[in-house]
């Protein structure tokens, strides 16, 4: 057996299982790298050496040796995993050696698609402030260089900035990697991938992870690629300055203020809550340089332990703190970013929280003023009231699969088919615009909102930005429940898909009275939730279906949406009702006449559904 190569990475990483304060440079360190493992079966190693996927491992040790666990780190178009010890029942899986293998395979993947171009592949790398970021970024550098890529280190950055580094002159890199796990706990980390065409799709990431699993197995045996050829360089670049200038210029040019052209935000108070993620730059490099007063802004300093709250515009604490700051300081607008700034939410001057459906409605109102009649694509969890709001404003509403990449790809496809589509949004706060490379950029979305806010004041309005959605009706009830898949992790996706497909079949066969698979406008709910209107359907990264619900008394009064989670081994159940008590009724029917009738309680933990059905509220 060949001796595995010695790791080139530090064997320590700052961490604190129960973070309360920012760690100093003298904080304790702990080992995080993989345990020494036994040789896997000869058959699995032979398969790996031959370039085929290793056989299914028979135990955890063999699974790590074969690299098969890397395939499970794929989460739709991203890679995510535990990078720091501290989660009960979860071991570290996103190690430096794993990240190096994935980055190397990404570099190879990009190079293969540039066949015939003699120049080397140029890849930028950014990271959010997570405590594992520095060490894992070194692993990304090493993997890319082994893949013969020139590396450009952006340091602390945002996910949208990574993509923009592939299109903004003079950088225009061939590809980019962002190290982030979005709003997940500090113990997690992950990778997001971009080329000039945008974010990678699930099928692309699946190919990269499959190759990385084989490469990892070979590296474990000491059979990985080696040689004396010099590796391409690593260059430190300040891309964030160019990106922030792009945002500032957009605001300046779109407002075109008559009296103070270069400082169009003079007289405005704007509060930013960055959640100690990567979004603090927006305060001092965009807002303040344009003249805004940002007094009262929160959690601007990057802190990879996120000590104050989850950096997430959906997080109740994040929104409540921002509301309080807006009201206390009399601000015109509050902004909440997630960790890597591809999502955002806002707070109106009145303290009204604008996220979820309300944020989609606000962006729809703004875009429809500029692009009358355009189509707005959202995921299938949005309310009937939102559809009415969009159509009343002269737009078209296309409901599509849950998953930000799915929603964006649908918008791209509609435009290719000749259907003008300028806005694509998910209820989690991901929002992409055709004018901005179909990129889900939380900072750019806020730029659009700020521009409209200033235009309203210049036009003589004394109302806040929230006045644009005063006609939007909130659903009477909206509930999300979760059911964990009770299976070994490697079988969880398969078992979850079986449960969701059983729901589709149960509804189609009429076994739930008044339940009907939802046509969602012009789309028919079918494979993976909503079928594509073109001849080549997109890859389905998770199964999901939505059923509309009617009865004689109320007519159609709600819906139930069942889907696999892309990021975790569980099933999400979203329900909305226009009648008080409707969601509890839906949950009861779903439990008694579907879950228990099908015996699905054997593979799903139905505790949340059962509790809600009995009590009518979340436990």
């Amino acid at each position: 057996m060949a001796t595995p190569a010695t790791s080139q990475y530090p064997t320590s990483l700052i961490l604190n299982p129960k973070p309360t304060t920012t760690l100093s440079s003298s904080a304790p360190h702990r080992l995080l790298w993989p345990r020494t493992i036994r040789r896997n079966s000869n058959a699995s190693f032979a398969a790996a050496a031959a370039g085929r996927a290793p056989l299914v491992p028979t135990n955890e040790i063999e699974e790590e040796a074969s690299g098969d666990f890397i395939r499970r780190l794929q989460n739709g178009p991203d890679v995510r995993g535990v990078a720091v010890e501290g989660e009960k029942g979860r071991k570290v899986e996103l190690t430096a050696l794993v990240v190096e293998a994935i980055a190397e395979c990404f570099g190879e993947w990009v190079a293969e698609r540039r066949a015939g171009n003699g120049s080397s592949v140029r890849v930028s790398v950014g990271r959010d402030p997570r405590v594992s970021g520095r060490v894992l970024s070194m692993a990304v550098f090493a993997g890319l260089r082994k893949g013969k890529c020139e590396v450009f280190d952006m340091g602390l950055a945002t996910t949208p900035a990574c993509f923009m580094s592939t299109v903004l002159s003079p950088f225009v890199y061939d590809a980019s990697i962002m190290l982030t796990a979005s709003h997940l706990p500090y113990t997690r980390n992950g990778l997001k991938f971009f080329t000039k065409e945008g974010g990678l799709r699930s099928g692309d990431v699946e190919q990269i992870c499959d190759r990385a699993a084989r490469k990892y197995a070979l590296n474990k045996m000491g059979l990985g690629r080696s040689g004396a050829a010099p590796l391409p360089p690593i260059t430190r670049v300040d891309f964030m300055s160019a990106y922030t200038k792009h945002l500032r210029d957009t605001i300046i040019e779109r407002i075109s203020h008559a009296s103070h052209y270069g400082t169009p935000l003079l007289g405005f108070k704007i509060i930013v809550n960055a959640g100690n993620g990567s979004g603090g730059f927006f305060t001092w490099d965009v807002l303040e340089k344009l003249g805004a007063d940002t007094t009262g802004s929160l959690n601007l300093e990057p802190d990879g332990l996120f000590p104050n709250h989850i950096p997430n515009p959906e997080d109740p604490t994040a929104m409540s703190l921002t509301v309080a700051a807006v009201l206390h300081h009399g601000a015109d607008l509050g902004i909440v970013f997630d960790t890597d700034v591809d999502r955002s939410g806002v707070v109106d001057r009145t303290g009204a929280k604008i996220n979820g459906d309300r944020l989609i409605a606000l962006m729809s109102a703004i875009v429809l003023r500029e692009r009358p009649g355009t189509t707005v694509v959202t995921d299938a969890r949005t309310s009937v009231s939102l559809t009415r709001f969009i159509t009343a404003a002269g737009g078209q509403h296309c409901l599509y699969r849950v998953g930000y990449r799915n929603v964006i790809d649908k918008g791209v496809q509609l435009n290719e088919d000749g259907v003008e589509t300028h806005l694509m949004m998910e209820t989690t706060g991901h929002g992409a615009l055709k004018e901005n490379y179909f990129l889900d950029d939380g900072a750019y979305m806020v730029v659009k909102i700020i521009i409209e806010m200033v235009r309203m004041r210049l036009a003589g309005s004394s109302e806040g930005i929230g006045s644009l959605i005063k006609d939007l009706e909130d659903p009477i009830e909206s509930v999300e429940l979760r059911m964990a898949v009770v299976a070994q992790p490697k079988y969880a996706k398969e078992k979850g898909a079986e449960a969701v497909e059983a729901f589709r079949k149960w509804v189609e066969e009429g076994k739930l009275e008044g339940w009907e698979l939802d046509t969602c406008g012009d789309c028919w709910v079918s494979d993976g939730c909503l079928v594509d209107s073109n001849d080549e359907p997109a890859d389905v990264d998770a199964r999901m279906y939505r059923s509309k619900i009617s009865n004689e008394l109320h007519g159609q009064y709600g819906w139930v949406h069942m889907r696999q989670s892309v990021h975790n081994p569980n099933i999400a159940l979203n329900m909305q009702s226009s009648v008080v008590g409707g969601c509890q009724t839906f949950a009861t029917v779903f439990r008694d006449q579907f879950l228990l009738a099908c015996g699905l309680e054997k593979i799903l933990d139905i505790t949340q559904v059962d509790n809600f059905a009995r009590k009518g509220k979340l436990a």
Side-chain angles (χ1 to χ4, degrees):
M1 176 178 177
T3 302
T6 302
S7 171
Q8 61 183 298
Y9 307 108
T11 55
S12 60
L13 191 66
I14 296 173
L15 69 95
N16 182 345
K18 294 182 178 179
T20 54
T21 59
T22 304
L23 291 177
S24 68
S25 58
S26 61
H29 291 57
R30 288 183 65 187
L31 297 178
L32 290 181
W33 312 115
R35 301 185 302 273
T36 301
I37 57 175
R38 297 196 305 267
R39 177 193 281 273
N40 196 359
S41 67
N42 290 334
S44 290
F45 277 113
R52 304 190 306 271
L55 300 177
V56 176
T58 56
N59 56 53
E60 183 177 310
I61 294 176
E62 289 184 344
E63 185 177 47
E64 182 165 329
S66 71
D68 192 61
F69 72 97
I70 293 177
R71 296 178 176 89
R72 290 204 310 274
L73 297 179
Q74 179 194 355
N75 287 269
D78 309 334
V79 168
R80 293 185 184 179
V82 178
V84 174
E85 290 179 351
E87 290 192 36
K88 185 177 180 180
R90 294 288 298 270
K91 66 176 185 177
V92 172
E93 52 198 355
L94 196 71
T95 65
L97 295 178
V98 169
V99 169
E100 180 186 313
I102 294 172
E104 182 179 355
C105 291
F106 174 67
E108 294 171 347
W109 183 90
V110 175
E112 289 167 3
R113 280 148 183 78
R114 296 177 72 248
N117 188 331
S119 62
S120 61
V121 175
R122 303 164 70 244
V123 182
S124 63
V125 180
R127 60 178 175 83
D128 73 17
R130 292 170 188 277
V131 293
S132 59
R134 290 185 181 275
V135 171
L136 293 186
S137 63
M138 293 169 61
V140 172
F141 300 159
L144 289 172
R145 295 177 78 202
K146 286 174 69 176
K148 307 305 179 186
C149 299
E150 290 185 56
V151 177
F152 296 84
D153 176 18
M154 295 166 55
L156 187 68
T158 71
T159 293
C162 281
F163 166 75
M164 292 299 292
S165 73
T166 70
V167 296
L168 277 188
S169 180
F171 302 91
V172 289
Y173 302 123
D174 299 297
S176 186
I177 293 177
M178 175 69 178
L179 274 164
T180 183
S182 187
H183 62 283
L184 295 181
Y186 80 99
T187 50
R188 306 289 181 95
N189 214 326
L191 298 92
K192 295 184 177 182
F193 310 92
F194 297 94
T195 67
K196 296 177 186 296
E197 287 70 45
L200 267 60
R201 293 174 172 82
S202 296
D204 300 326
V205 178
E206 183 178 358
Q207 291 179 31
I208 291 167
C209 287
D210 188 61
R211 293 170 63 157
R214 296 195 294 268
K215 191 177 295 290
Y216 180 85
L218 292 172
N219 289 342
K220 280 297 203 179
M221 291 187 293
L223 300 177
R225 181 193 308 171
S226 62
L231 295 176
I234 301 174
T235 304
R236 185 73 167 90
V237 294
D238 179 17
F239 177 76
M240 287 301 292
S241 292
Y243 172 67
T244 54
K245 182 179 184 302
H246 163 70
L247 296 178
R248 292 197 306 270
D249 287 348
T250 300
I251 294 173
I252 290 171
E253 293 166 7
R254 300 281 179 86
I255 294 174
S256 191
H257 202 290
S259 58
H260 36 272
Y261 181 82
T263 52
L265 302 187
L266 280 173
F268 285 89
K269 292 184 178 181
I270 302 176
I271 283 175
V272 175
N273 183 350
N276 301 111
S278 294
F281 80 93
F282 195 81
T283 310
W284 45 76
D285 283 341
V286 178
L287 298 178
E288 291 182 358
K289 287 187 177 181
L290 295 181
D293 178 355
T294 63
T295 303
S297 290
L298 308 166
N299 311 319
L300 301 181
E301 294 300 326
D303 185 336
L305 294 174
F306 312 126
N308 295 295
H309 59 71
I310 299 170
N312 185 357
E314 293 185 287
D315 180 62
T317 301
M319 291 302 290
S320 295
L321 289 173
T322 309
V323 168
V326 166
L327 294 177
H328 178 72
H329 293 279
D332 299 288
L333 186 72
I335 301 165
V336 181
F337 289 125
D338 75 336
T339 313
D340 59 325
V341 198
D342 60 356
R343 296 186 297 132
S344 56
V346 298
V347 174
D348 183 31
R349 65 189 298 179
T350 66
K353 302 173 186 177
I354 304 178
N355 53 11
D357 277 12
R358 297 177 65 81
L359 183 62
I360 298 174
L362 176 59
M363 288 302 299
S364 297
I366 292 170
V367 171
L368 282 164
R369 286 185 171 191
E370 300 171 346
R371 307 285 183 175
T374 191
T375 293
V376 176
V377 181
T378 74
D379 65 88
R381 293 171 297 180
T382 54
S383 68
V384 175
S385 298
L386 178 64
T387 301
R388 288 198 294 264
F389 180 88
I390 291 172
T391 54
Q396 304 295 322
H397 187 194
C398 174
L399 291 159
Y400 198 58
R401 299 184 186 121
V402 174
Y404 73 92
R405 191 70 249 171
N406 295 329
V407 171
I408 293 172
D409 287 347
K410 183 64 173 178
V412 172
Q413 176 240 309
L414 286 172
N415 278 286
E416 290 174 349
D417 289 349
V419 180
E420 185 180 5
T421 306
H422 285 273
L423 177 64
M424 298 120 267
M425 290 197 68
E426 224 200 2
T427 50
T428 56
H430 283 282
L433 291 140
K434 180 181 179 180
E435 70 184 52
N436 191 43
Y437 305 95
F438 295 98
L439 173 66
D440 50 326
D441 185 342
Y444 191 86
M445 185 162 62
V446 168
V447 162
K448 292 285 289 185
I449 292 170
I450 289 172
I451 291 169
E452 187 64 28
M453 178 180 70
V454 177
R455 285 174 174 173
M456 289 171 63
R457 181 173 295 184
L458 290 175
S461 174
S462 60
E463 295 186 299
I465 197 73
S467 64
L468 296 181
I469 58 171
K470 59 187 177 183
D471 294 332
L472 176 70
E473 298 177 2
D474 293 326
I476 299 297
E477 294 183 340
S478 184
V479 176
E480 179 175 286
L481 305 172
R482 295 275 175 167
M483 298 176 285
V485 179
V486 183
Q488 293 183 40
K490 61 185 176 182
Y491 301 127
K493 186 170 184 178
E494 177 185 348
K495 292 296 183 183
E498 290 176 3
V500 177
E501 287 299 321
F503 176 67
R504 175 192 61 79
K505 184 177 179 181
W506 210 252
V507 175
E508 281 186 335
E509 292 179 352
K511 295 182 178 180
L512 300 177
E513 185 178 356
W515 292 44
E516 178 185 354
L517 286 183
D518 197 344
T519 56
C520 295
D522 295 331
C523 300
W524 173 249
V525 177
S526 182
D527 189 20
C529 182
L530 298 166
V531 114
D532 295 282
S533 59
N534 59 345
D535 295 330
E536 298 179 359
D539 293 335
V540 175
D541 51 12
R543 299 289 172 181
M544 57 189 82
Y545 299 97
R546 181 168 125 165
S547 174
K548 60 185 178 183
I549 302 172
S550 308
N551 63 20
E552 292 185 0
L553 179 61
H554 302 292
Q556 182 182 332
Y557 69 110
W559 53 259
V560 169
H561 186 278
M562 183 181 181
R563 65 180 172 91
Q564 284 177 281
S565 170
V566 173
H567 303 300
N568 296 291
N570 64 43
I571 300 292
L573 189 70
N574 290 89
M575 303 180 289
Q576 284 193 6
S577 172
S578 59
V579 174
V580 174
C583 287
Q584 184 178 13
T585 299
F586 302 161
T588 302
V589 171
F590 185 81
R591 178 195 62 187
D592 296 344
Q593 299 180 36
F594 170 60
L595 292 174
L596 298 178
C598 291
L600 288 174
E601 79 280 5
K602 297 173 184 176
I603 65 170
L604 300 177
D605 179 354
I606 68 170
T607 302
Q608 281 196 16
V609 177
D610 180 56
N611 286 340
F612 188 81
R614 289 187 291 106
K615 302 176 182 179
K617 60 182 180 180
L618 298 177

